[in-house]
Amino acid sequence: LTVLHRAGRVHGGIKPGNVFALAKGGTRLADPRALPLPRAEEFDALPSPEQRRRLGVDARSDLYSVGALGWLLLTGEAPEAESTAAQLQRLEPSVPNKLADRIVQLLAADPNARPANASAAGEALAALLPAGRPVAAERDAGRNTGPT
């Protein structure tokens, strides 16, 4: 996803069926539509509010979908409009406060309240990991491993 966002493109189809776990660790996104900005009109799964309203989209729209996917994976349910960290933790009490806060930030209705791109979101999420644990983006730095 970072690679697409750096190229000024959006994925536009982030959903559970497009995320694959790699045997060596990490994940990859499949089926990248890689729609040019700002005219991304065809979306299907876990769309951001601006996608549903067919407004202009950018990298932050993909981040909403990443947050929605995180919510779905943690709870088994799609998030509702105006979802809160408290709601997430009621559905799944084992979710740490800071992770719940980050997911809800990705789900912000206002794109300006979300991180600017996948790199910024990844850094914020990586800060929640224990020290010394590699992050896929760091591990793969300098290698073109396809969209992440």
Side-chain angles (χ1 to χ4, degrees):
L1 192 57
T2 299
V3 172
L4 288 175
H5 289 176
R6 285 184 184 151
R9 302 175 86 68
V10 296
H11 185 283
I14 296 172
K15 59 184 175 182
N18 285 344
V19 179
F20 296 91
L22 301 176
K24 65 181 179 184
T27 58
R28 289 291 181 261
L29 282 173
D31 189 29
R33 295 177 182 176
L35 302 169
L37 295 175
R39 300 192 64 213
E41 296 176 345
E42 292 185 25
F43 299 97
D44 55 3
L46 304 172
S48 67
E50 59 272 21
Q51 287 171 307
R52 286 191 294 270
R53 293 190 308 264
R54 303 281 188 209
L55 301 175
V57 298
D58 60 20
R60 297 168 300 177
S61 297
D62 279 342
L63 297 181
Y64 179 94
S65 298
V66 168
L69 179 61
W71 184 291
L72 178 66
L73 291 172
L74 289 167
T75 68
E77 300 177 13
E80 298 177 8
E82 306 296 323
S83 294
T84 67
Q87 289 170 319
L88 175 57
Q89 290 176 307
R90 258 194 312 280
L91 292 168
E92 182 48 62
S94 68
V95 175
N97 292 340
K98 289 182 180 182
L99 178 58
D101 291 341
R102 292 284 188 252
I103 290 173
V104 169
Q105 179 188 26
L106 294 173
L107 292 171
D110 178 0
N112 293 318
R114 299 178 209 140
N117 53 45
S119 181
E123 289 174 14
L125 290 168
L128 303 178
L129 292 174
R133 179 148 180 203
V135 177
E138 293 171 359
R139 190 182 59 236
D140 295 340
R143 296 187 315 182
N144 183 3
T145 58
T148 56

